[in-house]
Amino acid sequence: MTGLVLEGGAMRGMYSAGVLDVWMEHNVKFDVIVGVSAGALFGVNYLSGQKGRVIRYNKRFNGDKNYIGLRPLLREGNIINTEYAYHTVPHTLDVFDDAAFQASGVPFYAVVTNIETGEAEYIRLTSVFEQMDVLRASGSMPFVSKPVEIGGRLYLDGGIADSIPFRHLQTLGCNKIVAVLTREPGYIKKPMSPALIRLKYGKNTPLAQNLIRRHESYNSASGALQALENAGGAFAVRPQTALSIGRIEKKPQKLQSIYDLGRADGEKSLDALFAYMNA
C-alpha cells in the first residue's frame, strides 16, 4: 500500500501544488494521503481532481487585504479571514468539488494539534464542506490564529506536533511512502524563542513545551524520513534550494514562480516515482 504525505509551510505549499498538479495530469494514484497545515488545505484538491485550483485562487485572493494579513488578524484574531477563506471562496468564488473528493474513495487525513495535550491527532476527512473546521485547525498557525473548536476540544496547526507525518501512514499499513516536502535538503529547523512561547501559551502547558521542542521533533522526523529514503523505503520530492517566498505571500508572480518550480520538479520525478511505486 502506498501513502502520500504532504508537508505544510504556508505559501511554500505552492511548490507542492505544482508537483501535485503534474502528478494529477499523469494519473498518479495513492491508497491513502495525510496532509498537515498547508499540505492538508491544498492537498484535498488532489482528490477532487481540481488541477490548477490552488495556484488560481491564491493568486486571485491573496492580494486582498480582507482575505489574509494584518486586517483580518486585528479584526478577528486570525491572519486568514475565516468566513472569506473557508466559506465564501470554496462555496461561491472558486468552488471546491466536494462530491468528487468524496467519490475518490481515497482516505485523506488532516493533522491537527490538540491544545490541551499538545499532541497530534489525525482526523479522516469524509467531506471537506462538512469538516471545514478540521482543515482550518490544521492550518491555524500559532501566534496569529485562534484555536479552532472541534467536538468540544481546541486545536491548532498540525505542524506543531507532527510536521512530517509519514509515521502515521506506516501505522495505517503503508509499506511505501511518497512525500512532497517544502524544505530543501539538509534543512535544519532552529528553535523558537521560549520566552515568546511561554508568554503566549503559558509556562508549563503541553502546547508550550511542544512548541519549545518543535525544532527537535521536526529535525528528528526529517532525518528519519531521509534515512528511510536512503534505504529505499520512501520516495521524496523537495526543492533543491530554499524557497524564497513569504508565509503569507501576496505577489502573484512570486506565487507563480514557486508553483512553476514545483511543476518542474514534479515532471523530473515521474520516471523515478513510477519505478518506486511499481517495484
Side-chain angles (χ1 to χ4, degrees):
M1 189 162 75
T2 302
L4 172 65
V5 57
L6 301 171
E7 184 181 10
M11 289 305 146
R12 294 198 311 274
M14 291 300 104
Y15 175 85
S16 303
V19 173
L20 294 180
D21 278 356
V22 168
W23 289 357
M24 206 184 303
E25 291 168 2
H26 290 270
N27 201 34
V28 180
K29 302 292 187 181
F30 298 96
D31 298 302
V32 59
I33 300 174
V34 57
V36 58
S37 195
L41 288 167
F42 299 158
V44 292
N45 294 276
Y46 195 69
L47 295 187
S48 68
Q50 291 176 279
K51 181 175 72 72
R53 181 173 180 270
V54 174
I55 183 63
R56 181 177 65 241
Y57 79 74
N58 278 279
K59 286 175 65 177
R60 180 180 174 187
F61 299 113
N62 280 18
D64 187 336
K65 294 179 180 179
N66 293 307
Y67 179 78
I68 186 170
L70 186 59
R71 187 171 294 177
L73 181 61
L74 294 176
R75 284 179 175 173
E76 64 172 87
N78 290 311
I79 200 164
I80 299 176
N81 184 308
T82 299
E83 182 64 28
Y84 195 163
Y86 294 101
H87 298 283
T88 303
V89 170
H91 283 275
T92 305
L93 300 179
D94 197 321
V95 178
F96 177 78
D97 192 343
D98 196 37
F101 175 86
Q102 295 180 53
S104 73
V106 178
F108 189 104
Y109 292 84
V111 188
V112 295
T113 298
N114 186 308
I115 295 295
E116 182 179 357
T117 66
E119 298 299 317
E121 295 183 15
Y122 309 87
I123 301 178
R124 181 174 176 179
L125 297 178
T126 55
S127 166
V128 167
F129 284 164
E130 293 179 9
Q131 296 172 280
M132 189 64 78
D133 282 346
V134 175
L135 283 176
R136 187 161 67 90
S138 187
S140 290
M141 296 180 287
F143 301 103
V144 293
S145 305
K146 290 180 178 179
V148 178
E149 182 176 347
I150 304 170
R153 296 177 180 175
L154 296 177
Y155 296 89
L156 277 174
D157 194 318
I160 297 171
D162 192 357
S163 295
I164 312 176
F166 72 95
R167 292 188 179 93
H168 183 64
L169 292 176
Q170 293 175 319
T171 68
L172 295 174
C174 292
N175 59 345
K176 292 187 177 182
I177 305 293
V178 176
V180 180
L181 308 177
T182 61
R183 291 294 192 181
E184 69 277 11
Y187 171 78
I188 301 296
K189 183 176 283 294
K190 297 179 180 179
M192 299 174 64
S193 167
L196 182 62
I197 292 170
R198 289 172 178 142
L199 180 65
K200 178 69 174 178
Y201 296 112
K203 291 184 177 181
N204 297 306
T205 63
L207 179 65
Q209 293 302 311
N210 210 326
L211 280 166
I212 290 170
R213 297 191 300 267
R214 186 183 180 191
H215 65 292
E216 296 175 356
S217 61
Y218 180 92
N219 295 334
S220 175
S222 178
L225 180 60
Q226 182 67 68
L228 187 64
E229 186 182 0
N230 293 342
F235 181 91
V237 176
R238 55 172 68 80
Q240 293 307 295
T241 58
L243 296 177
S244 177
I245 189 169
R247 294 187 66 82
I248 56 168
E249 184 63 59
K250 296 173 178 287
K251 297 178 181 177
Q253 65 271 26
K254 178 62 70 173
L255 295 166
Q256 186 70 51
S257 69
I258 299 302
Y259 171 82
D260 289 343
L261 180 62
R263 282 197 60 92
D265 286 353
E267 291 281 1
K268 293 175 186 175
S269 74
L270 287 170
D271 288 344
L273 173 64
F274 284 127
Y276 170 76
M277 293 180 69
N278 295 326

